[in-house]
Structures are given as C-alpha cells and as structure tokens.
Amino acid sequence: MSDGKTAGRRMSAAMQLVDRGGRGPAPEWTAFHGPAELNYAQGLLNAELGHHDAATAFLHAALAHQEQKYGRTRALYRITLAKSLIEAGEVDEGAAHAVGSLEHLEEVESGRVLRRLNEVAERLRAVNAASARDAAAELTEYAQTKGAA
C-alpha cells in the first residue's frame, strides 16, 4: 500500500517460501498461492510501480504456470498482461493478448475481467495503430454483448 520497497521485499519472501526446494514443509497458504499466483502478484506490483517491462516478464510467467482449466483466471492474467504490454510500448503484442483473453471467457462471466477489458480497450483507443483500433473495437463489442446479456 504505497510502499513499493516493502511490498517488493514481502513478495520476494513469499516466493522463497513457495520455492523451498525440499527444505522442510511449506506454509499451508502455499497450497493455493503457487508460482502462477505469486508471479501474477509480482507482475501487478511492478505494474503499479510503473515498471511495465518487469511486470510483463512476471505476467508472462504467471500465464505459463496457470492451468488451462481455469478460464476466468487465464483471461484475467492475459488482459492484465495486455495492459502492461501496452504501457511498455508493445502495443501489437498487447492487443493480441487482449483479444486472446476472450477465448477464455466463453464459459465463464466475470465482472472484474469485463472491467479490465474496458480499461484495456480505452488504452488501445488512445494508440494510433491499426492493431490497437481493431482490438479496441473487438473488446468493446464483446463487453457490450456481455453487458446486455
């Protein structure tokens, strides 16, 4: 909460607890908060601090570790990655991830993901690139369709 240095130290400590490498039992909370969740949290922290290049590395790792069966979570990770990619100047890749996140939402609905989709669509509309305009239109259409349902 407004203290990036302390948050970074706490994230590092949490990652060390998860990756114990056989040095005794891990804390109970690590059963849920494994590598995917911790990489996602580290990515969010970096994004909040404005370190979007670092954020994208952690968000890519989070997505790689997240199981396919968790569609809503994969969508959230991808749309968050898209936002950081756009902020890091990687607009084409960000636009592709933003649109790609929609495939994970076929079976689930999530207000949080729809809010993030709208945020990313807004950022894409501010970029003067065909990929950004096309992606923004597709995200907006999807959000309007889901909002009307």
Side-chain angles (χ1 to χ4, degrees):
M1 305 301 285
S2 302
D3 184 357
K5 218 172 233 187
T6 300
R9 284 194 305 271
R10 298 253 169 104
M11 280 301 309
S12 179
M15 289 179 143
Q16 288 173 357
L17 285 170
V18 168
D19 186 26
R20 299 197 47 87
R23 297 181 314 262
E28 195 172 303
W29 61 265
T30 63
F32 175 74
H33 297 289
E37 283 288 322
L38 289 177
N39 280 313
Y40 179 72
Q42 184 69 50
L44 287 177
L45 173 62
N46 279 293
E48 286 294 317
L49 296 174
H51 306 300
H52 297 288
D53 287 330
T56 61
F58 283 103
L59 294 168
H60 272 294
L63 192 56
H65 286 105
Q66 184 58 50
E67 295 180 42
Q68 291 289 335
K69 65 182 176 181
Y70 298 114
R72 186 193 64 82
T73 303
R74 287 189 64 79
L76 180 62
Y77 284 13
R78 280 191 88 176
I79 200 68
T80 304
L81 172 59
K83 186 176 176 184
S84 281
L85 285 165
I86 294 162
E87 294 295 332
E90 300 293 335
V91 175
D92 291 340
E93 186 181 355
H97 274 287
V99 171
S101 71
L102 301 178
E103 75 184 59
H104 304 293
L105 293 175
E106 303 262 336
E107 298 173 14
V108 295
E109 290 187 27
S110 169
R112 181 167 57 157
V113 174
L114 284 176
R115 283 189 299 280
R116 291 260 172 94
L117 281 173
N118 286 324
E119 289 172 11
V120 170
E122 242 179 75
R123 281 183 169 50
L124 287 167
R125 279 192 285 278
V127 177
N128 187 18
S131 64
R133 284 189 300 277
D134 293 346
E138 192 166 342
L139 296 176
T140 301
E141 180 182 342
Y142 179 88
Q144 288 173 344
T145 301
K146 284 296 183 181

mmCIF file of all heavy atoms in Angstrom, residues 9-38:
data_model
loop_
_atom_site.group_PDB
_atom_site.id
_atom_site.type_symbol
_atom_site.label_atom_id
_atom_site.label_comp_id
_atom_site.label_asym_id
_atom_site.label_seq_id
_atom_site.Cartn_x
_atom_site.Cartn_y
_atom_site.Cartn_z
ATOM 1 N N ARG A 9 10.014 -6.542 -1.004
ATOM 2 C CA ARG A 9 10.665 -7.466 -0.059
ATOM 3 C C ARG A 9 9.704 -8.561 0.391
ATOM 4 O O ARG A 9 10.075 -9.727 0.486
ATOM 5 C CB ARG A 9 11.199 -6.702 1.157
ATOM 6 C CG ARG A 9 12.474 -5.929 0.870
ATOM 7 C CD ARG A 9 13.161 -5.472 2.154
ATOM 8 N NE ARG A 9 12.322 -4.701 3.050
ATOM 9 C CZ ARG A 9 12.177 -3.381 3.016
ATOM 10 N NH1 ARG A 9 12.828 -2.664 2.136
ATOM 11 N NH2 ARG A 9 11.396 -2.774 3.887
ATOM 12 N N ARG A 10 8.464 -8.194 0.629
ATOM 13 C CA ARG A 10 7.469 -9.191 1.069
ATOM 14 C C ARG A 10 7.159 -10.191 -0.050
ATOM 15 O O ARG A 10 6.979 -11.376 0.207
ATOM 16 C CB ARG A 10 6.194 -8.504 1.543
ATOM 17 C CG ARG A 10 6.417 -7.595 2.738
ATOM 18 C CD ARG A 10 5.867 -8.191 4.010
ATOM 19 N NE ARG A 10 6.294 -7.472 5.176
ATOM 20 C CZ ARG A 10 5.534 -6.629 5.863
ATOM 21 N NH1 ARG A 10 4.295 -6.414 5.479
ATOM 22 N NH2 ARG A 10 6.009 -6.029 6.921
ATOM 23 N N MET A 11 7.090 -9.695 -1.286
ATOM 24 C CA MET A 11 6.857 -10.601 -2.416
ATOM 25 C C MET A 11 8.027 -11.567 -2.560
ATOM 26 O O MET A 11 7.830 -12.759 -2.789
ATOM 27 C CB MET A 11 6.675 -9.820 -3.724
ATOM 28 C CG MET A 11 5.308 -9.227 -3.916
ATOM 29 S SD MET A 11 3.964 -10.432 -3.904
ATOM 30 C CE MET A 11 4.543 -11.617 -5.088
ATOM 31 N N SER A 12 9.225 -11.067 -2.416
ATOM 32 C CA SER A 12 10.416 -11.914 -2.518
ATOM 33 C C SER A 12 10.402 -12.994 -1.438
ATOM 34 O O SER A 12 10.687 -14.161 -1.699
ATOM 35 C CB SER A 12 11.672 -11.051 -2.400
ATOM 36 O OG SER A 12 12.816 -11.844 -2.468
ATOM 37 N N ALA A 13 10.042 -12.600 -0.223
ATOM 38 C CA ALA A 13 9.967 -13.570 0.881
ATOM 39 C C ALA A 13 8.901 -14.624 0.603
ATOM 40 O O ALA A 13 9.114 -15.811 0.859
ATOM 41 C CB ALA A 13 9.679 -12.843 2.198
ATOM 42 N N ALA A 14 7.758 -14.204 0.060
ATOM 43 C CA ALA A 14 6.685 -15.151 -0.258
ATOM 44 C C ALA A 14 7.145 -16.136 -1.326
ATOM 45 O O ALA A 14 6.882 -17.339 -1.223
ATOM 46 C CB ALA A 14 5.440 -14.406 -0.723
ATOM 47 N N MET A 15 7.844 -15.644 -2.336
ATOM 48 C CA MET A 15 8.321 -16.531 -3.403
ATOM 49 C C MET A 15 9.328 -17.543 -2.857
ATOM 50 O O MET A 15 9.334 -18.699 -3.261
ATOM 51 C CB MET A 15 8.920 -15.720 -4.543
ATOM 52 C CG MET A 15 7.863 -14.964 -5.325
ATOM 53 S SD MET A 15 8.580 -13.988 -6.643
ATOM 54 C CE MET A 15 7.313 -14.191 -7.880
ATOM 55 N N GLN A 16 10.152 -17.134 -1.919
ATOM 56 C CA GLN A 16 11.112 -18.055 -1.310
ATOM 57 C C GLN A 16 10.401 -19.124 -0.488
ATOM 58 O O GLN A 16 10.827 -20.281 -0.462
ATOM 59 C CB GLN A 16 12.102 -17.294 -0.445
ATOM 60 C CG GLN A 16 13.087 -16.485 -1.259
ATOM 61 C CD GLN A 16 13.973 -15.594 -0.401
ATOM 62 O OE1 GLN A 16 13.822 -15.541 0.823
ATOM 63 N NE2 GLN A 16 14.881 -14.886 -1.037
ATOM 64 N N LEU A 17 9.305 -18.765 0.172
ATOM 65 C CA LEU A 17 8.548 -19.744 0.945
ATOM 66 C C LEU A 17 7.903 -20.793 0.043
ATOM 67 O O LEU A 17 7.821 -21.965 0.404
ATOM 68 C CB LEU A 17 7.479 -19.055 1.796
ATOM 69 C CG LEU A 17 7.994 -18.323 3.025
ATOM 70 C CD1 LEU A 17 6.879 -17.492 3.647
ATOM 71 C CD2 LEU A 17 8.567 -19.295 4.042
ATOM 72 N N VAL A 18 7.438 -20.369 -1.125
ATOM 73 C CA VAL A 18 6.810 -21.311 -2.058
ATOM 74 C C VAL A 18 7.865 -22.236 -2.655
ATOM 75 O O VAL A 18 7.648 -23.431 -2.801
ATOM 76 C CB VAL A 18 6.048 -20.554 -3.167
ATOM 77 C CG1 VAL A 18 5.648 -21.488 -4.291
ATOM 78 C CG2 VAL A 18 4.817 -19.884 -2.588
ATOM 79 N N ASP A 19 9.016 -21.692 -2.987
ATOM 80 C CA ASP A 19 10.073 -22.467 -3.630
ATOM 81 C C ASP A 19 11.091 -22.912 -2.583
ATOM 82 O O ASP A 19 12.231 -22.486 -2.574
ATOM 83 C CB ASP A 19 10.751 -21.629 -4.719
ATOM 84 C CG ASP A 19 11.761 -22.429 -5.509
ATOM 85 O OD1 ASP A 19 11.613 -23.662 -5.587
ATOM 86 O OD2 ASP A 19 12.700 -21.820 -6.049
ATOM 87 N N ARG A 20 10.692 -23.810 -1.727
ATOM 88 C CA ARG A 20 11.538 -24.235 -0.615
ATOM 89 C C ARG A 20 12.568 -25.279 -1.033
ATOM 90 O O ARG A 20 13.492 -25.550 -0.292
ATOM 91 C CB ARG A 20 10.671 -24.762 0.520
ATOM 92 C CG ARG A 20 9.749 -23.657 1.018
ATOM 93 C CD ARG A 20 9.135 -23.880 2.338
ATOM 94 N NE ARG A 20 9.987 -24.326 3.391
ATOM 95 C CZ ARG A 20 10.695 -23.539 4.200
ATOM 96 N NH1 ARG A 20 10.690 -22.251 4.015
ATOM 97 N NH2 ARG A 20 11.409 -24.048 5.181
ATOM 98 N N GLY A 21 12.387 -25.886 -2.193
ATOM 99 C CA GLY A 21 13.361 -26.852 -2.682
ATOM 100 C C GLY A 21 13.629 -27.997 -1.722
ATOM 101 O O GLY A 21 14.771 -28.419 -1.566
ATOM 102 N N GLY A 22 12.587 -28.507 -1.082
ATOM 103 C CA GLY A 22 12.753 -29.656 -0.194
ATOM 104 C C GLY A 22 13.323 -29.317 1.181
ATOM 105 O O GLY A 22 13.684 -30.203 1.936
ATOM 106 N N ARG A 23 13.409 -28.051 1.514
ATOM 107 C CA ARG A 23 13.954 -27.649 2.823
ATOM 108 C C ARG A 23 12.824 -27.514 3.854
ATOM 109 O O ARG A 23 12.593 -26.455 4.397
ATOM 110 C CB ARG A 23 14.687 -26.313 2.698
ATOM 111 C CG ARG A 23 15.887 -26.367 1.782
ATOM 112 C CD ARG A 23 16.598 -25.020 1.719
ATOM 113 N NE ARG A 23 15.703 -23.896 1.540
ATOM 114 C CZ ARG A 23 15.437 -23.299 0.377
ATOM 115 N NH1 ARG A 23 15.988 -23.738 -0.724
ATOM 116 N NH2 ARG A 23 14.632 -22.279 0.314
ATOM 117 N N GLY A 24 12.165 -28.586 4.107
ATOM 118 C CA GLY A 24 11.090 -28.560 5.101
ATOM 119 C C GLY A 24 9.752 -28.230 4.472
ATOM 120 O O GLY A 24 9.674 -27.862 3.302
ATOM 121 N N PRO A 25 8.698 -28.354 5.258
ATOM 122 C CA PRO A 25 7.346 -28.117 4.731
ATOM 123 C C PRO A 25 7.108 -26.638 4.435
ATOM 124 O O PRO A 25 7.566 -25.764 5.161
ATOM 125 C CB PRO A 25 6.433 -28.613 5.849
ATOM 126 C CG PRO A 25 7.261 -28.518 7.086
ATOM 127 C CD PRO A 25 8.682 -28.737 6.671
ATOM 128 N N ALA A 26 6.378 -26.397 3.370
ATOM 129 C CA ALA A 26 5.982 -25.030 3.020
ATOM 130 C C ALA A 26 4.768 -24.650 3.864
ATOM 131 O O ALA A 26 4.002 -25.515 4.288
ATOM 132 C CB ALA A 26 5.645 -24.959 1.543
ATOM 133 N N PRO A 27 4.575 -23.360 4.109
ATOM 134 C CA PRO A 27 3.382 -22.924 4.848
ATOM 135 C C PRO A 27 2.099 -23.365 4.142
ATOM 136 O O PRO A 27 2.088 -23.540 2.916
ATOM 137 C CB PRO A 27 3.499 -21.402 4.847
ATOM 138 C CG PRO A 27 4.933 -21.112 4.581
ATOM 139 C CD PRO A 27 5.440 -22.246 3.739
ATOM 140 N N GLU A 28 1.032 -23.521 4.900
ATOM 141 C CA GLU A 28 -0.236 -24.017 4.372
ATOM 142 C C GLU A 28 -0.778 -23.161 3.226
ATOM 143 O O GLU A 28 -1.350 -23.671 2.277
ATOM 144 C CB GLU A 28 -1.255 -24.066 5.513
ATOM 145 C CG GLU A 28 -2.479 -24.888 5.199
ATOM 146 C CD GLU A 28 -3.344 -25.068 6.428
ATOM 147 O OE1 GLU A 28 -2.848 -25.584 7.441
ATOM 148 O OE2 GLU A 28 -4.515 -24.679 6.345
ATOM 149 N N TRP A 29 -0.584 -21.837 3.287
ATOM 150 C CA TRP A 29 -1.137 -20.951 2.266
ATOM 151 C C TRP A 29 -0.533 -21.206 0.882
ATOM 152 O O TRP A 29 -1.125 -20.828 -0.124
ATOM 153 C CB TRP A 29 -0.977 -19.483 2.645
ATOM 154 C CG TRP A 29 0.439 -19.011 2.815
ATOM 155 C CD1 TRP A 29 1.135 -18.930 3.988
ATOM 156 C CD2 TRP A 29 1.334 -18.558 1.798
ATOM 157 N NE1 TRP A 29 2.399 -18.470 3.759
ATOM 158 C CE2 TRP A 29 2.549 -18.221 2.431
ATOM 159 C CE3 TRP A 29 1.233 -18.411 0.420
ATOM 160 C CZ2 TRP A 29 3.652 -17.749 1.727
ATOM 161 C CZ3 TRP A 29 2.332 -17.932 -0.282
ATOM 162 C CH2 TRP A 29 3.517 -17.601 0.367
ATOM 163 N N THR A 30 0.617 -21.858 0.813
ATOM 164 C CA THR A 30 1.254 -22.089 -0.481
ATOM 165 C C THR A 30 0.510 -23.132 -1.322
ATOM 166 O O THR A 30 0.774 -23.239 -2.511
ATOM 167 C CB THR A 30 2.727 -22.520 -0.318
ATOM 168 O OG1 THR A 30 2.786 -23.766 0.369
ATOM 169 C CG2 THR A 30 3.540 -21.460 0.395
ATOM 170 N N ALA A 31 -0.427 -23.857 -0.709
ATOM 171 C CA ALA A 31 -1.213 -24.835 -1.472
ATOM 172 C C ALA A 31 -2.018 -24.140 -2.564
ATOM 173 O O ALA A 31 -2.209 -24.680 -3.647
ATOM 174 C CB ALA A 31 -2.143 -25.617 -0.550
ATOM 175 N N PHE A 32 -2.495 -22.926 -2.304
ATOM 176 C CA PHE A 32 -3.234 -22.163 -3.315
ATOM 177 C C PHE A 32 -2.331 -21.168 -4.031
ATOM 178 O O PHE A 32 -2.403 -21.000 -5.235
ATOM 179 C CB PHE A 32 -4.419 -21.420 -2.695
ATOM 180 C CG PHE A 32 -5.124 -20.535 -3.696
ATOM 181 C CD1 PHE A 32 -5.937 -21.095 -4.668
ATOM 182 C CD2 PHE A 32 -4.946 -19.176 -3.688
ATOM 183 C CE1 PHE A 32 -6.569 -20.299 -5.607
ATOM 184 C CE2 PHE A 32 -5.566 -18.362 -4.625
ATOM 185 C CZ PHE A 32 -6.386 -18.928 -5.583
ATOM 186 N N HIS A 33 -1.509 -20.490 -3.285
ATOM 187 C CA HIS A 33 -0.674 -19.421 -3.849
ATOM 188 C C HIS A 33 0.651 -19.979 -4.337
ATOM 189 O O HIS A 33 1.688 -19.764 -3.735
ATOM 190 C CB HIS A 33 -0.449 -18.313 -2.816
ATOM 191 C CG HIS A 33 -1.710 -17.643 -2.410
ATOM 192 N ND1 HIS A 33 -2.403 -16.802 -3.248
ATOM 193 C CD2 HIS A 33 -2.420 -17.699 -1.270
ATOM 194 C CE1 HIS A 33 -3.477 -16.362 -2.635
ATOM 195 N NE2 HIS A 33 -3.515 -16.894 -1.437
ATOM 196 N N GLY A 34 0.579 -20.685 -5.442
ATOM 197 C CA GLY A 34 1.780 -21.260 -6.034
ATOM 198 C C GLY A 34 2.450 -20.282 -6.976
ATOM 199 O O GLY A 34 2.189 -19.067 -6.941
ATOM 200 N N PRO A 35 3.296 -20.787 -7.850
ATOM 201 C CA PRO A 35 4.069 -19.928 -8.749
ATOM 202 C C PRO A 35 3.208 -19.011 -9.626
ATOM 203 O O PRO A 35 3.564 -17.850 -9.821
ATOM 204 C CB PRO A 35 4.847 -20.922 -9.609
ATOM 205 C CG PRO A 35 4.934 -22.150 -8.785
ATOM 206 C CD PRO A 35 3.676 -22.196 -7.971
ATOM 207 N N ALA A 36 2.104 -19.506 -10.135
ATOM 208 C CA ALA A 36 1.270 -18.664 -11.007
ATOM 209 C C ALA A 36 0.743 -17.450 -10.249
ATOM 210 O O ALA A 36 0.861 -16.310 -10.720
ATOM 211 C CB ALA A 36 0.112 -19.474 -11.585
ATOM 212 N N GLU A 37 0.168 -17.685 -9.073
ATOM 213 C CA GLU A 37 -0.392 -16.587 -8.278
ATOM 214 C C GLU A 37 0.679 -15.600 -7.842
ATOM 215 O O GLU A 37 0.463 -14.389 -7.864
ATOM 216 C CB GLU A 37 -1.120 -17.137 -7.041
ATOM 217 C CG GLU A 37 -2.465 -17.723 -7.338
ATOM 218 C CD GLU A 37 -3.503 -16.669 -7.665
ATOM 219 O OE1 GLU A 37 -3.516 -15.581 -7.058
ATOM 220 O OE2 GLU A 37 -4.311 -16.940 -8.567
ATOM 221 N N LEU A 38 1.826 -16.106 -7.433
ATOM 222 C CA LEU A 38 2.886 -15.213 -6.966
ATOM 223 C C LEU A 38 3.499 -14.412 -8.115
ATOM 224 O O LEU A 38 3.802 -13.222 -7.954
ATOM 225 C CB LEU A 38 3.955 -15.985 -6.212
ATOM 226 C CG LEU A 38 3.501 -16.493 -4.846
ATOM 227 C CD1 LEU A 38 4.603 -17.315 -4.188
ATOM 228 C CD2 LEU A 38 3.090 -15.353 -3.934
#
